[in-house]
Amino acid sequence: MDHLADVKKFAKKPLNEAAFAGMSKAYALVMGKADTRYVACSDAAELERVRENFLKKKLGLKTADLDAAIKSTCDHMKADKTKSRLTFYYLLAEHYGKLDLFVKK
């Protein structure tokens, strides 16, 4: 899968290449495993992991609209049966203005 093309297909703003590169590096191990490479929007436990481990722990978010943002991202990517975790995380970070967390300084 061409992850860069996938992110470009769904991103709402021009691609932040530095953030994409940082995310690619940070999640390389996750993306290398078939059972963790994709986000299953139909799995409540999976969506809870995205909320707790990515949005709260990684991005440091505590707002009440986290589940709504996850649902919105699922809806935005509904055309793809396999939702790349890297793309999914990029879109959520973009939504919350947190892409700079992945830019190496």
Side-chain angles (χ1 to χ4, degrees), residues 11-88:
K12 295 174 183 165
K13 299 175 184 171
L15 181 72
N16 180 327
E17 292 187 27
F20 174 78
M23 288 183 97
S24 295
K25 187 174 181 180
Y27 294 104
L29 186 61
V30 170
M31 296 307 293
K33 296 179 181 179
D35 59 336
T36 59
R37 187 176 299 146
Y38 303 107
V39 173
C41 285
S42 60
D43 182 348
E46 168 74 3
L47 300 181
E48 181 180 343
R49 276 190 296 278
V50 169
R51 183 185 66 238
E52 298 301 317
N53 296 335
F54 183 70
L55 293 177
K56 287 184 176 180
K57 288 181 183 174
K58 185 66 179 177
L59 300 187
L61 299 171
K62 296 177 180 17
T63 60
D65 71 335
L66 299 179
D67 289 329
I70 293 169
K71 183 182 182 323
S72 175
T73 304
C74 284
D75 291 345
H76 185 61
M77 294 181 71
K78 70 182 171 192
D80 273 7
K81 291 182 182 178
T82 54
K83 292 160 186 59
S84 163
R85 186 170 302 276
L86 187 59
T87 301
F88 203 88

Side-chain angles (χ1 to χ4, degrees), residues 1-11 13-28 31 84-91 93-94 98-104:
M1 169 182 252
D2 181 352
H3 297 292
L4 181 60
D6 195 54
V7 171
K8 284 181 177 180
K9 179 170 65 173
F10 289 107
K13 299 175 184 171
L15 181 72
N16 180 327
E17 292 187 27
F20 174 78
M23 288 183 97
S24 295
K25 187 174 181 180
Y27 294 104
M31 296 307 293
S84 163
R85 186 170 302 276
L86 187 59
T87 301
F88 203 88
Y89 284 3
Y90 182 94
L91 294 176
E94 178 184 61
K98 298 284 190 171
L99 288 172
D100 287 345
L101 290 175
F102 299 95
V103 177
K104 192 166 189 158

